[in-house]
Every structure is written in structure tokens, then in C-alpha cells.
């Protein structure tokens, strides 16, 4: 427990456990071993750089995607975890697990990175199958039947924080999708609590593991072909209880906060970047799998599931941000400033009610969201 409580003291640290990638201003090039350049079997290509920051841990920079037969498109200037907030159901404790995440990084073994490459011993870069990319029967005509197995690039790291081992994955699909997710494993806390706040573990009903939430925040600085002209939009589809649905688009010209709703999603679009069908390219954000958590007034950062803020270099963490002359949490970043270079913060919740199957070592439970290309390719990208 003392380990977690000490983490906040490291938030202001600005050094790197692993030296940052060497960069050239206009070349999108970083030096080995920090450069990732992977062409998947269908021809899609992902390029990026990584670094291991003391505070945020694994951070990806200058992420770009090239669809099969298409032109390269820059997607993200940077992307990283921004907080792991762990409040317990009894009201205490309430951890903020990011503070010195890079220092908690676990050296990976070959078994942790099957078929891949371990970079600096702390980062795994690998590829794996992800199931069907598509299947078309051809209406009974064998000559017209088509299917394809999809593949994905995975960049991951792992961290030991208190009892938990967190596995942070960034998954890049050959269809242009991005899936950030975190898996929690390791050991249960071992806390004995009442039935009101926990679940019996082990023989009988003498030992109760306390239920708690994992509220994980990601920070993503989107740059679709550069920082200029990017816009964040929200899409809703009204018409519950009727046969018709109407699409409602809300453009965030100023900093904003948004909550999950059925039939709601967001996209980051550059209206000036068009595909060959003359449609603006964008990346769509879906956060429908979150167990939305709303804390008390002093945890106002949990009162929204997505934040849009204007880029400021000092705004690195969603909570416990102690950079000089900077605000402390993401809800305070979203103060209504005009947005010309948007940063998107996504919060995904998971309520962990322990079970006998969680006995040591605890199986991984995953939480994350999905980013999907919208009109980046004028046709099926495979």
C-alpha cells in the first residue's frame, strides 16, 4: 500500500527511464530501437516512435497510417496513459496510480512477447491475427465468395503498481483502427471488508475482497496531417420510440466535456483533407463499453467520459497534474478556451467485483475503447 501512496510524489518528474527517440523536425524519423515501422500482410503500414516516460510510461509519438494502395496519413502527435484512478467502494482508499509509471515498468520476457521483438526490454512490438476482416458468401457462387483474416500490430508494456500488474496495449489494425486498452492482473489487495462493500473469497464467508473501480484515462493529441484545422465533433441519433432517427452533429469549437450516451460517438476530422470520394477524413471514437463512474464533487474529473481541450504542453495527466503554472485535472483544463489544436481525453471505467477465479495470480480483466477510420480510404482497405 505504501508504494501506491508514494507515487504522487513523482508526478513532477520530467526525465526518462529510457532516452527519448532521436528526432528530426520534418522527417518523422526516430532512431533505433525507438522507431516502429510495420507493414502488415495486406499492405497496410503503421509508423511511429515510442519513449518510456517516468510519469506516463509508454508514450507513442508521430503515429501515421498508410492504407493499402493509399497515401500515408498522420494520425497522432502523441498518445499515452493519463491516469489510473482506483476508488474503493467503502470510500477509502482512492488511489491515483500514475505518478512514476515508467519507474514501475517490468522487464518483459520472450514469453510475454510471443513472435515479437522486445525493445529496451520494457516494450514489446509484435503482430498477431485478430479474426475475420470480412466474409462475403457470394450468394452461393464459389467464384464470388471472399474472406480475409485480419492482422494487427501490438505495442505493449507492463507495470507493477502495488498489488496490481497493469498491461498497457496499443493495438493498430490493418483496417486503420486503433484500440487502446489496459489489462489489470497480478494479485488482489487482500483487504478484509464487509459484505456490503465486497465479495466473499475463499472458503466460506469470512474473507471479503473490497469492490473498487478502475477509471483509466488516455490522452491523445490528434494531428491529422498536421495540427492545423483539426476539429472534434459529437454525433447523436435522436428518435427513441419512433421509426425514424435524426442525426445531430455538435462541433466543439471550444473546450468541452461529454458523457456517454446510447447511439453517441465522436470523431476528429480535418475538413480540408479529402479522400478521392471528396469526403473529409477522420477517426471515430467509440466509448460504449465503459462502466461509467461518477464520484463526489472533489472528483469532478470523473463527471465526464470524454474531454476536448486546447493543446498545452503542461497538461499531461488527467489528475494529480503538478506541473508548474498548470491546472491540476482534466475537468479544469476544459475551461472554455477556443480549440485550434485539440487534445482528446477518454475515460473508461471498470467496476471490479472480485470472484473466486481471481485467486492469485488474478486473470487479466481488460478495459479500453476503439478508434476507427472514417473515410480515410474510399473503399475497403484490405
Amino acid at each position: 500500500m505504501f508504494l501506491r501512496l508514494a507515487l504522487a510524489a513523482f508526478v513532477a518528474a520530467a526525465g526518462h527511464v529510457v532516452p527519448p527517440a532521436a528526432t528530426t523536425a520534418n522527417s518523422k524519423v526516430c532512431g533505433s530501437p525507438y522507431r516502429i515501422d510495420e507493414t502488415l500482410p495486406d499492405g497496410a503500414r503503421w509508423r511511429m516512435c515510442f519513449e518510456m516516460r517516468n510519469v506516463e510510461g509508454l508514450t507513442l509519438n508521430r503515429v501515421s497510417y498508410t492504407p493499402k494502395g493509399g497515401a500515408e496519413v498522420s494520425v497522432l502527435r502523441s498518445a499515452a496513459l493519463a491516469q489510473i484512478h482506483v476508488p474503493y467502494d467503502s470510500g477509502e482508499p482512492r488511489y491515483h496510480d500514475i505518478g512514476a509509471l515508467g519507474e514501475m515498468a517490468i522487464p518483459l520476457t520472450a514469453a510475454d512477447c510471443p513472435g515479437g521483438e522486445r525493445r529496451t526490454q520494457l516494450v514489446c512490438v509484435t503482430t498477431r491475427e485478430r479474426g475475420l476482416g470480412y466474409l462475403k458468401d457470394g450468394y452461393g457462387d464459389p467464384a464470388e465468395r471472399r474472406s480475409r483474416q485480419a492482422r494487427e500490430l501490438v505495442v505493449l508494456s507492463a507495470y507493477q503498481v502495488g498489488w496490481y500488474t497493469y498491461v498497457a496495449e496499443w493495438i493498430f489494425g490493418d483496417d486503420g483502427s486503433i484500440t487502446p486498452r489496459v489489462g489489470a492482473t497480478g494479485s488482489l489487495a487482500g483487504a478484509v471488508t464487509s459484505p456490503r462493500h465486497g465479495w466473499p473469497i475463499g472458503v466460506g464467508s469470512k474473507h471479503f475482497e473490497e469492490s473498487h473501480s478502475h477509471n483509466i484515462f488516455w490522452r491523445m493529441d490528434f494531428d491529422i496531417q498536421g495540427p492545423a484545422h483539426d476539429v472534434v465533433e459529437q454525433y447523436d441519433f435522436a428518435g427513441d420510440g419512433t421509426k425514424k432517427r435524426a442525426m445531430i452533429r455538435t462541433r466543439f469549437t471550444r473546450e468541452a466535456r461529454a458523457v456517454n450516451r446510447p447511439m453517441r460517438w465522436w470523431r476528429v476530422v480535418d475538413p480540408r483533407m479529402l479522400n478521392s470520394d471528396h469526403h473529409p477524413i477522420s477517426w471515430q471514437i467509440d466509448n460504449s463499453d465503459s462502466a461509467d463512474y461518477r464520484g463526489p464533487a472533489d472528483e469532478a474529473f470523473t463527471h465526464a467520459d470524454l474531454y476536448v481541450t486546447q493543446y498545452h504542453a503542461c497538461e499531461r495527466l488527467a489528475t494529480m497534474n503538478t506541473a508548474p503554472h498548470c491546472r491540476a485535472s482534466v475537468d479544469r483544463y476544459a475551461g472554455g478556451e477556443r480549440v485550434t489544436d485539440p487534445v482528446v481525453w477518454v475515460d473508461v471505467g471498470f467496476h471490479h467485483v472480485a470472484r473466486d477465479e481471481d485467486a492469485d495470480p488474478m486473470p487479466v480483466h481488460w478495459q479500453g475503447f476503439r478508434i476507427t477510420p472514417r473515410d480515410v480510404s474510399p473503399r475497403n482497405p484490405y
Side-chain angles (χ1 to χ4, degrees):
M1 182 178 295
F2 72 93
L3 178 62
R4 274 178 148 166
L5 294 174
L7 291 180
F10 292 92
V11 173
H16 296 82
V17 175
V18 177
T23 61
T24 304
N26 298 316
S27 63
K28 297 184 181 178
V29 172
C30 48
S32 177
Y34 310 105
R35 181 178 64 251
I36 299 172
D37 188 341
E38 184 70 34
T39 300
L40 295 166
D42 78 314
R45 183 185 186 187
W46 285 98
R47 295 206 296 169
M48 66 196 73
C49 303
F50 78 85
E51 57 182 320
M52 184 65 74
R53 292 185 175 180
N54 267 358
V55 175
E56 299 97 326
L58 176 63
T59 301
L60 304 181
N61 300 308
R62 295 177 301 285
V63 178
S64 67
Y65 168 66
T66 306
K68 177 183 178 180
E72 185 174 32
V73 182
S74 65
V75 186
L76 293 160
R77 179 194 297 173
S78 65
L81 283 172
Q83 193 51 266
I84 303 175
H85 173 235
V86 189
Y88 278 69
D89 282 14
S90 64
E92 295 293 341
R94 311 184 78 74
Y95 294 120
H96 299 254
D97 275 346
I98 286 185
L101 206 60
E103 295 189 359
M104 308 303 169
I106 300 171
L108 301 173
T109 69
D112 303 325
C113 188
E117 183 180 3
R118 287 171 289 156
R119 308 282 188 90
T120 70
Q121 299 300 310
L122 300 177
V123 176
C124 169
V125 180
T126 190
T127 63
R128 64 191 181 199
E129 291 188 357
R130 63 181 183 92
L132 280 168
Y134 62 82
L135 190 155
K136 180 179 178 181
D137 178 58
Y139 304 102
D141 183 353
E144 294 295 322
R145 193 182 195 283
R146 299 177 184 178
S147 69
R148 186 178 186 90
Q149 292 292 321
R151 201 160 181 89
E152 59 194 14
L153 165 69
V154 183
V155 184
L156 70 87
S157 56
Y159 311 91
Q160 190 65 43
V161 182
W163 309 281
Y164 274 98
T165 305
Y166 290 113
V167 181
E169 284 192 345
W170 292 87
I171 304 169
F172 300 91
D174 49 13
D175 62 347
S177 63
I178 305 172
T179 306
R181 67 176 192 165
V182 168
T185 179
S187 301
L188 293 169
V192 178
T193 186
S194 70
R196 185 179 180 184
H197 300 123
W199 195 269
I201 299 296
V203 178
S205 298
K206 296 181 179 179
H207 178 90
F208 290 83
E209 284 286 343
E210 186 168 347
S211 302
H212 54 278
S213 292
H214 296 262
N215 304 314
I216 299 183
F217 291 80
W218 287 261
R219 178 190 182 276
M220 293 165 296
D221 181 5
F222 280 88
D223 276 358
I224 299 177
Q225 295 301 67
H229 313 301
D230 288 351
V231 177
V232 182
E233 297 175 339
Q234 177 176 288
Y235 285 81
D236 291 284
F237 294 82
D240 286 351
T242 70
K243 292 183 178 180
K244 295 183 178 180
R245 290 191 182 276
M247 185 173 70
I248 302 171
R249 181 182 68 173
T250 303
R251 177 166 286 189
F252 296 139
T253 58
R254 294 189 176 275
E255 293 175 321
R257 58 197 73 187
V259 297
N260 289 328
R261 292 283 187 268
M263 303 289 289
R264 171 174 285 182
W265 46 268
W266 303 267
R267 73 166 180 165
V268 183
V269 58
D270 186 333
R272 300 191 181 189
M273 291 301 303
L274 307 179
N275 68 13
S276 61
D277 287 340
H278 305 290
H279 298 147
I281 68 174
S282 63
W283 262 265
Q284 176 177 326
I285 299 171
D286 293 283
N287 189 15
S288 57
D289 293 335
S290 176
D292 303 340
Y293 175 87
R294 303 290 181 253
D298 62 351
E299 292 176 346
F301 55 86
T302 66
H303 294 180
D305 306 294
L306 180 139
Y307 293 88
V308 179
T309 64
Q310 172 67 7
Y311 173 83
H312 291 287
C314 70
E315 295 175 353
R316 294 171 57 181
L317 296 183
T319 76
M320 307 293 287
N321 193 68
T322 61
H325 312 296
C326 201
R327 288 163 288 190
S329 57
V330 66
D331 56 298
R332 298 181 183 180
Y333 307 157
E337 183 179 352
R338 186 170 181 82
V339 175
T340 58
D341 184 3
V343 175
V344 179
W345 309 72
V346 178
D347 172 23
V348 179
F350 176 85
H351 190 223
H352 186 190
V353 180
R355 53 191 181 134
D356 279 341
E357 287 85 351
D358 287 337
D360 204 74
M362 179 174 62
V364 180
H365 55 78
W366 293 100
Q367 59 197 99
F369 63 103
R370 189 165 176 82
I371 306 169
T372 307
R374 175 168 287 277
D375 305 325
V376 174
S377 298
R379 60 191 61 84
N380 186 327
Y382 292 103

